[in-house]
Amino acid sequence: MSAQAAAEDTLVMRPSGADFFIDGTYYSVLEDPTGQLTLHDVRRPDKARQFAPYTGAPNMSNTNSAYWLRFTVRNDDHSGTHWYLDLFDSHINDVRFFQPIASGGYKQFHTGADLPFATRPHPYKDFLFDLPQPLGQTQTYYLRLASNSKTSFRAMMRNEPVLLTHFQAQYGLLGAFYGVLFIMVVYNLCIYLFIGEETYLRYVLYVLSCSLLFLSEDGLGFEYVWSDLPWLNHLINAGAPVLLLFTFMHYARGFLDTSLRVPQLDWWIRLIGALSVVLLVADIMVVQSGFSFWLYLLPYCLIYYAALLVYRQGLRAARYFLLAHALVAISLVFLITRKLGIEFLNNHFTVYSMNVAFVVEVTILSYALGEKIKGIKDARLAVQARLVKQLRKKHLAQDRLVEQLQQNQQLKDQLNSELEAQVARRTQELRQQSETIAAQNRELVQANSLLALQSAAIEKLNANLQHDLQQAQTARVLAKEVDFGEFSQIYPDKDACLSYLADLKWAHGYQCRKCGYEKYCAGREPHARRCTRCRYVESATAYTMLQKCKFSIVKALYAVFLINAHQGNYSSQEMSRLLDLRQATCWSFSQKVMDAMRRRRQSPDYEVSESWTHILLDATSETEEASESDCSTTLSQKV
C-alpha cells in the first residue's frame, strides 16, 4: 500500500503499493524564533496563515528556533492497514508530535535525542509515530522540531506490512555491517598480538572509531547501548567524528610510512590534522555551525595525495588504499548533499552507501595491510637470502685463504733457508759497502753545505727580481705605458680599488667629517668607516672623484689614469671602445676628470711631477647619500 497526494497539501492513504517519501510540498512550515509558541498559538488564524509550503525538504538552519510542520492526511485505504510516520534523523533534540483525537483536541507525544530512548512511542532507532486515521476522513497533524545542529527534515509514510519488511531488511543489513567490522577488529587484533606490528593496532583503533561513529549516526547505539544516557549520546555524536579523523590520520601515516617516504608532506599532514581537530572541537563546543564536516576535506585530501606519491615511489599496497578511499569519497558526496538539504539521488542505496563503502574499505585495507606486511616479509627474506649467499662466498674465500696460507708457510720456510745463506753473503758485502758509503757521505755533507749557500743566494735573487718587477709595473703605470689588461692585474677587482682608494684617502689618519672624532670602526660596505661617537658612516668613494660612479670602479680608475696621462687629450670614442662603455658616458666622465685636473693645477701645493692619483681625492663632488649606488649599473641615458 502507498500514500499519494490528492491535492498539493494533502496526503492520501490508498491500498495500491509500498511506502511513500514525503517531500516538502506536503508540509507547511512555521519558524518560531522564540521557541515559546504552543499548539494553541500556531492554530490561531493569524499564525495559521504564516505556515508556508516548501518545494524541497525543510531545512532547520536556525538552531535557536523551533520549527512547526503541518501536514494533512486523508485515509482512502479500505484494507484497514495501519499507517506510520517515520522520521529519519534520530539526532533532532526535541520532537513533539500532535495527533488529533476524536474529541477534537490533540494528543502530544514528546521525545527526542535529549530524552531517554524509552520516551519514544515505538522502540525503533528512528522516530516512529502512529497515524490512526479513520477511513474516509481528513485530519491535520502537527510536528514541533528543535535541534542544536543544522539539519533537514526527512520522513516517509509507511503502512504496517511494508514497515515490518523494512525493519527486517534494515536490521539484517546493519547486523551484517557491524558483524564485518567486529570480525575485522578481532582478526587484525589477533595478528597484532602475534606479530607485534603497530600498524595493525592503528587499524584496529580506526575500525573501532568507525564503528562508534556509525552507532551514533544510525541510532543503534542509543537504542541498544546507552539508551538511558542522552548526555552520553550527545557526547559520542560530537566526539566520534573527531576520534575518527584522529585515528584515520594516525593509521594512514603508519600504513603509508609518510615520515620516511614523504617527510615534508608528513609534517604538513600532522599540522593540518592537529588544526582540523582543534577547529572541529571548537565548532562542536562553541560555534555549532553544523557544517564542521567541511573540515575533514583538507586532511583527507592531503592523505590521499600522500598515498598517490607513495604509490609512485613503489609501495604497491598503496593502490588498495587509493581504491578504498575513492569509494568512501563517493559516499561522502551523498552524505554532504543530505546535510546541505540538496535533493540528489536520495534512495536506500545512497542513504546506506556510507555503510557499504566503509565495509568495503575496512576489507580492502585489511587485505592491503596484509600485502604490505607480506611485501616487508618478502623483502626481509630476500635480504636474508643475499646475506646467506654472501656468507657462503665468505666461507669459500676463507677456505681458499687457509689453503693459500699453508702454501705460503711452506714457501716461507723454503725462502727462510735460502735467505739465511744469502744474508750471510750479503752481510760481508754490505760491510764493505758501508765503509764506501761512509766516505761518500762525508763528501755529500760538504756538497750540501755548498748547495745551501747557493740556494740562499738564488732565493734572494728571486725576491729582488719580484720586487723589481712590481716596481717596473708601477713605474709603467706612472710612465703612461700600461694597457687595461696590465692595469687590471694591479687593480683586479672592486675590492682592490676600494682598498687602494681608502688607503690613499685616509693616509694621514681618519677624522669624522661630522664631529671631528678620530676613532672609527668598520662600516657595512667594504672599506667604509663609521665614527664610534656619532655613528656617521663614510664610504671609501665619498668625497672623491669616484663618488656616485655609475659603472665599474676598475674602469673608472683606469679612465682617470688615461685622461691624466694624456693631459685630457684622450678621445671619448677611443675610451668607449677600450672600456666597452657608451660614448656619452665616457664623454661625461672625461669632463668631470678634466674639471678636477684644472682645479688641481690651480691648487697652491700642485707639483708638475706629482702622481695622477691626486686627482682621485677631488673633494668638490656632492655629499654622499645614505647608501652608495652600485657602480656596475649603466648610467641613465643622457646625450
Side-chain angles (χ1 to χ4, degrees):
M1 299 183 183
S2 68
Q4 298 179 358
E8 180 180 356
D9 57 352
T10 302
L11 292 166
V12 180
M13 301 175 183
R14 291 181 179 176
S16 59
D19 50 2
F20 181 73
F21 179 77
I22 307 173
D23 59 34
T25 58
Y26 298 105
Y27 286 93
S28 294
V29 181
L30 172 64
E31 182 178 356
D32 177 16
T34 64
Q36 302 297 323
L37 295 179
T38 63
L39 178 63
H40 177 72
D41 295 330
V42 299
R43 294 184 65 194
R44 293 203 313 264
D46 57 332
K47 291 294 182 182
R49 286 192 297 270
Q50 296 180 13
F51 277 86
Y54 270 65
T55 57
N59 290 325
M60 301 171 63
S61 57
N62 191 348
T63 58
N64 296 320
S65 297
Y67 288 83
W68 286 85
L69 284 82
R70 183 182 64 192
F71 62 98
T72 303
V73 180
R74 187 174 73 250
N75 185 7
D76 290 344
D77 185 4
H78 299 281
S79 65
T81 304
H82 196 72
W83 288 78
Y84 298 89
L85 178 67
D86 184 3
L87 275 67
F88 293 156
D89 192 350
S90 61
H91 300 296
I92 300 176
N93 297 85
D94 188 87
V95 178
R96 302 187 186 192
F97 179 67
F98 297 92
Q99 182 186 95
I101 57 179
S103 62
Y106 280 86
K107 180 180 179 181
Q108 174 180 303
F109 295 89
H110 188 193
T111 183
D114 288 343
L115 300 176
F117 188 82
T119 60
R120 302 192 181 188
H122 297 279
Y124 180 49
K125 66 183 187 66
D126 296 339
F127 297 113
L128 190 66
F129 300 101
D130 293 280
L131 296 176
Q133 185 79 2
L135 181 63
Q137 292 187 11
T138 301
Q139 293 182 338
T140 301
Y141 295 84
Y142 289 88
L143 271 170
R144 181 186 182 277
L145 307 176
S147 177
N148 57 13
S149 62
K150 297 180 180 179
T151 184
S152 58
F153 176 78
R154 298 176 184 276
M156 294 194 74
M157 196 163 67
R158 293 188 174 101
N159 58 19
E160 190 170 6
V162 173
L163 186 63
L164 291 176
T165 304
H166 175 72
F167 282 175
Q168 294 175 354
Q170 187 179 49
Y171 279 94
L173 291 175
L174 289 175
F177 169 72
Y178 288 108
V180 172
L181 294 183
F182 177 74
I183 292 172
M184 288 299 171
V185 168
V186 174
Y187 172 72
N188 288 276
L189 184 60
C190 291
I191 295 178
Y192 166 72
L193 294 176
F194 278 114
I195 68 175
E197 175 61 36
E198 185 183 353
T199 309
Y200 279 100
L201 180 59
R202 295 183 180 185
Y203 175 78
V204 169
L205 295 176
Y206 171 57
V207 176
L208 287 175
S209 64
C210 289
S211 304
L212 186 63
L213 176 66
F214 280 104
L215 283 172
S216 66
E217 282 294 325
D218 57 31
L220 288 182
F222 192 36
E223 181 178 358
Y224 292 108
V225 184
W226 51 83
S227 56
D228 295 330
L229 303 172
W231 64 268
L232 182 59
N233 188 51
H234 288 306
L235 179 62
I236 294 176
N237 288 339
V242 180
L243 182 62
L244 177 65
L245 176 62
F246 177 77
T247 55
F248 170 73
M249 297 195 68
H250 192 55
Y251 160 72
R253 289 180 57 246
F255 177 80
L256 299 173
D257 295 329
T258 55
S259 59
L260 297 177
R261 297 178 181 272
V262 283
Q264 293 183 349
L265 185 59
D266 179 71
W267 184 88
W268 281 105
I269 290 174
R270 288 188 285 114
L271 177 62
I272 297 300
L275 289 177
S276 298
V277 169
V278 172
L279 292 176
L280 278 172
V281 174
D283 182 75
I284 292 169
M285 299 181 63
V286 181
V287 181
Q288 297 181 352
S289 65
F291 297 103
S292 58
F293 51 85
W294 293 111
L295 297 173
Y296 291 87
L297 294 181
L298 184 56
Y300 271 92
C301 290
L302 282 177
I303 289 291
Y304 203 84
Y305 178 63
L308 184 62
L309 294 181
V310 170
Y311 174 69
R312 290 181 177 178
Q313 292 179 5
L315 183 61
R316 294 181 58 80
R319 68 185 187 275
Y320 296 108
F321 188 93
L322 294 171
L323 173 62
H325 288 285
L327 298 176
V328 174
I330 295 173
S331 64
L332 283 174
V333 173
F334 299 120
L335 175 63
I336 291 174
T337 55
R338 289 199 305 273
K339 290 284 187 180
L340 296 177
I342 300 174
E343 297 293 335
F344 175 67
L345 296 178
N346 286 317
N347 52 48
H348 291 86
F349 176 77
T350 58
V351 169
Y352 293 103
S353 62
M354 182 70 73
N355 301 69
V356 176
F358 266 93
V359 168
V360 176
E361 180 202 22
V362 296
T363 306
I364 293 177
L365 289 182
S366 180
Y367 178 79
L369 194 57
E371 182 178 351
K372 178 186 176 183
I373 300 302
K374 181 179 179 298
I376 295 174
K377 180 181 178 181
D378 293 341
R380 186 180 301 169
L381 291 176
V383 172
Q384 290 177 352
R386 287 196 298 269
L387 289 175
V388 170
K389 187 176 181 180
Q390 292 176 358
L391 286 174
R392 289 177 179 175
K393 291 182 179 179
K394 184 178 180 180
H395 289 160
L396 290 175
Q398 289 177 347
D399 294 339
R400 293 175 183 174
L401 181 61
V402 170
E403 183 180 355
Q404 185 67 36
L405 288 174
Q406 293 175 352
Q407 295 177 0
N408 291 345
Q409 185 64 33
Q410 295 175 358
L411 292 174
K412 177 182 177 182
D413 296 338
Q414 182 180 356
L415 289 174
N416 284 338
S417 60
E418 294 176 358
L419 286 174
E420 288 177 357
Q422 291 180 2
V423 166
R425 291 194 300 270
R426 293 294 297 170
T427 301
Q428 183 63 30
E429 294 175 0
L430 290 174
R431 187 180 293 110
Q432 296 175 358
Q433 292 177 359
S434 62
E435 295 176 355
T436 304
I437 290 172
Q440 292 176 352
N441 284 338
R442 289 191 293 270
E443 295 176 358
L444 288 174
V445 169
Q446 296 177 356
N448 285 337
S449 61
L450 294 175
L451 288 175
L453 294 174
Q454 292 177 357
S455 297
I458 290 172
E459 290 178 359
K460 183 177 181 181
L461 181 60
N462 286 336
N464 293 336
L465 288 174
Q466 185 69 23
H467 180 68
D468 293 343
L469 178 61
Q470 185 175 1
Q471 288 183 344
Q473 288 179 338
T474 305
R476 290 189 63 194
V477 171
L478 298 176
K480 315 171 189 177
E481 298 178 0
V482 64
D483 58 15
F484 185 63
E486 294 175 320
F487 189 86
S488 298
Q489 293 179 358
I490 301 173
Y491 306 105
D493 52 22
K494 178 180 179 181
D495 188 74
C497 294
L498 291 176
S499 176
Y500 173 76
L501 193 60
D503 294 340
L504 184 66
K505 179 177 178 180
W506 291 300
H508 301 293
Y510 170 82
Q511 187 175 20
C512 179
R513 294 180 182 271
K514 296 290 184 180
C515 65
Y517 199 59
E518 296 180 353
K519 292 185 179 181
Y520 65 92
C521 60
R524 290 187 177 179
E525 299 179 0
H527 303 286
R529 297 186 180 183
R530 184 175 64 180
C531 177
T532 58
R533 174 186 289 174
C534 67
R535 307 181 68 83
Y536 172 71
V537 179
E538 183 175 342
S539 64
T541 59
Y543 303 100
T544 68
M545 176 62 61
L546 303 183
Q547 181 176 357
K548 297 185 180 180
C549 178
K550 299 300 181 180
F551 54 91
S552 170
I553 192 172
V554 178
K555 293 182 179 181
L557 206 62
Y558 186 59
V560 174
F561 164 73
L562 287 176
I563 296 171
N564 180 79
H566 293 82
Q567 296 298 317
N569 295 324
Y570 200 84
S571 67
S572 59
Q573 294 88 346
E574 181 63 21
M575 185 182 299
S576 173
R577 182 193 63 78
L578 179 63
L579 299 181
D580 192 19
L581 296 172
R582 294 176 65 254
Q583 183 180 351
T585 302
C586 295
W587 181 85
S588 177
F589 190 74
S590 299
Q591 296 300 315
K592 183 178 180 181
V593 175
M594 292 171 63
D595 291 341
M597 290 173 60
R598 284 192 294 271
R599 288 192 293 271
R600 182 60 191 166
R601 292 192 188 100
Q602 296 171 4
S603 177
D605 58 344
Y606 171 73
E607 295 180 4
V608 177
S609 61
E610 69 181 13
S611 172
W612 63 279
T613 56
H614 287 75
I615 305 173
L616 297 174
L617 300 179
D618 179 67
T620 60
S621 300
E622 298 178 1
T623 304
E624 184 182 17
E625 300 291 341
S627 60
E628 184 178 341
S629 303
D630 186 1
C631 290
S632 61
T633 58
T634 307
L635 185 65
S636 304
Q637 295 183 1
K638 296 180 181 179
V639 179

